[in-house]
Amino acid sequence: MLLLGIHLLVLLTMLGFDKALIFLLSGGSFAGAFAPVSTNTHVTKLSANNVNDDDDIVIDTATREARITAPLSAALASLVPLTTGGIIASPQISNAASDGGSFESSLRSNFPGSLSDSAVALRVAAALRERGYTPTNTLVGSSLCSDEINDTSESLIGDFQNKLGVEGVFNLGGLGGLPFVGISGMGAFTSHCPVDGKIFIVFGPHVGIANDGTVGKIERVGKDSVSGACGAGIGAYKAIMAADSSKEAPKDVLGTKDFQEEYIISQLSNRLDALKGKETDNESITYVTNKMYDLVWEMLRSEINTFTTKPDFWSGVSEITLLGGIVVNRGHGEGVQGGEDYYQPLMLKSLTKDGEVDSYGEVFGQFPALAKPYRDAKYV
């Protein structure tokens, strides 16, 4: 066992951690370790209608996960005593066949196809490197909720910083993950891109799942009771459900002292009719979270489109890659198992002056069919 551990450490040193993982996943073939990620993606014009047939294929993700992670877990197990606190772990996937408790069960049921943050970052970073993204030519933006649970040492954006080797991240998101920086903020952000460089944006709302499986709740460090997440989205939902149906949601919110929340209420007000008269439960909060994703995407698309449609924009920026999905936070309070957050990927596409490339299928496989309408949502 010790000899195997030494051999694997040598492998990590020679190949680098990412390539060593690829080496192990490929069954120990050196050809597999250095084989490039496939770039056979489908390119369409920004305004074209696109139907992704690959979503019609159903893959047993539990079987695939067992096939991938079982040999990797066995091989890396010998390294755990040689690391600090066993920092090397196999990728996690929410659809894995396991009885991990109420959190995992609720995650699989309500946000199928979710992956651990590290698994998402590992896959996407590898794909970005194949597209020429480097530490010196890449500008990273984050349109995630400003909640502190999205800005920890184990957060998704922190993982991307490490795996892409970039320093700072431009924060675009406010409450709910909506890019409230607006046109001015987006203009400042895009102007910071290195010459002929590339832009990578991670976006989406977030939602907590408590240890008992309750969606919309989370255990926070130092608190003796669960609290809401996302508070902005859930608060807007409750306000809309409690409002007199004869009253219209506010249209002009610029003069309020709670602009961001009032805006969310205004924009969600005509999207939650399906929940009227229903009790608040896991299904309803999941529904609200998906509608919050729509709000984030629509605002982000509008802001980006303001600049990418300018004739001279692509003379300074070569590509923009958008990773959209839902952050699923887990509790870290007293008596809670804790661990990595998860991310349900719904979109991964790259924009250039010539069109749009959808890389979702190649990076994430044929994950849930619910991702299909989000992938079909055109940039323009």
Side-chain angles (χ1 to χ4, degrees):
M1 185 66 71
L2 177 60
L3 183 59
L4 175 60
I6 293 174
H7 287 166
L8 287 174
L9 280 177
V10 172
L11 176 66
L12 288 170
T13 302
M14 292 175 60
L15 301 181
F17 186 65
D18 289 353
K19 287 185 177 179
L21 279 177
I22 297 173
F23 171 79
L24 291 171
L25 289 171
S26 64
S29 165
F30 278 98
F34 292 97
V37 177
S38 172
T39 57
N40 182 26
T41 50
H42 182 65
V43 181
T44 62
K45 291 297 181 181
L46 296 181
S47 59
N49 292 322
N50 183 34
V51 178
N52 299 288
D53 295 332
D54 54 4
D55 276 313
D56 296 330
I57 303 173
V58 178
I59 299 295
D60 183 346
T61 53
T63 301
R64 179 174 62 186
E65 173 64 7
R67 185 175 67 249
I68 292 176
T69 61
L72 178 61
S73 298
L76 293 181
S78 63
L79 287 178
V80 173
L82 302 178
T83 62
T84 304
I87 60 173
I88 299 179
S90 60
Q92 301 175 37
I93 181 171
S94 70
N95 296 73
S98 65
D99 296 321
S102 297
F103 172 86
E104 285 79 5
S105 176
S106 183
L107 179 71
R108 289 193 296 269
S109 175
N110 296 288
F111 301 97
S114 295
L115 291 162
S116 65
D117 283 354
S118 60
V120 172
L122 186 67
R123 294 184 185 204
V124 176
L128 290 178
R129 283 194 293 273
E130 286 296 320
R131 297 191 65 84
Y133 287 69
T134 70
T136 57
N137 76 356
T138 302
L139 176 66
V140 178
S142 168
S143 193
L144 302 175
C145 184
S146 49
D147 193 319
E148 78 280 355
I149 57 179
N150 295 320
D151 189 20
T152 69
S153 59
E154 293 184 333
S155 67
L156 178 63
I157 200 65
D159 242 329
F160 271 118
Q161 282 184 269
N162 292 332
K163 289 181 172 61
L164 292 174
V166 298
E167 293 292 334
V169 173
F170 196 111
N171 292 309
L172 303 164
L175 293 182
L178 276 76
F180 282 114
V181 292
I183 297 300
S184 296
M186 185 61 67
F189 168 60
T190 55
S191 71
H192 297 173
C193 183
V195 177
D196 296 326
K198 301 174 184 292
I199 292 175
F200 174 54
I201 301 176
V202 182
F203 71 92
H206 77 120
V207 64
I209 297 183
N211 203 44
D212 65 0
T214 302
V215 178
K217 298 291 184 180
I218 194 172
E219 299 86 357
R220 296 176 187 265
V221 175
K223 293 185 68 66
D224 53 11
S225 61
V226 295
S227 62
C230 170
I234 296 172
Y237 155 65
K238 291 182 176 179
I240 293 168
M241 293 298 106
D244 184 343
S245 59
S246 65
K247 297 179 181 179
E248 291 187 2
K251 300 300 182 183
D252 183 9
V253 297
L254 292 177
T256 74
K257 294 182 180 180
D258 197 14
F259 163 71
Q260 294 188 14
E261 182 67 8
E262 292 291 347
Y263 180 87
I264 293 173
I265 293 173
S266 174
Q267 296 302 307
L268 275 182
S269 61
N270 62 350
R271 302 176 191 235
L272 303 182
D273 290 345
L275 300 181
K276 290 182 178 178
K278 294 186 177 182
E279 293 190 12
T280 300
D281 56 13
N282 285 356
E283 184 179 354
S284 61
I285 298 302
T286 299
Y287 185 89
V288 171
T289 304
N290 279 276
K291 294 303 178 182
M292 287 292 293
Y293 176 89
D294 293 341
L295 295 187
V296 178
W297 165 237
E298 289 167 11
M299 181 181 281
L300 182 66
R301 177 177 58 186
S302 176
E303 292 176 0
I304 294 176
N305 198 49
T306 299
F307 295 94
T308 56
T309 54
K310 293 182 177 180
D312 61 342
F313 178 81
W314 294 109
S315 64
V317 177
S318 63
E319 184 171 284
I320 299 176
T321 293
L322 304 170
L323 171 64
I326 295 172
V327 174
V328 182
N329 307 112
R330 67 185 308 164
H332 290 80
E334 184 177 354
V336 180
Q337 179 180 351
E340 284 189 275
D341 288 341
Y342 284 75
Y343 189 74
Q344 183 187 45
L346 298 176
M347 176 189 296
L348 180 61
K349 56 180 59 180
S350 298
L351 314 174
T352 70
K353 63 180 180 180
D354 297 320
E356 177 180 307
V357 178
D358 182 355
S359 303
Y360 185 97
E362 295 194 8
V363 174
F364 297 115
Q366 314 314 324
F367 271 155
L370 62 86
K372 184 175 177 59
Y374 299 108
R375 291 175 62 188
D376 288 346
K378 304 309 298 177
Y379 167 65
V380 171

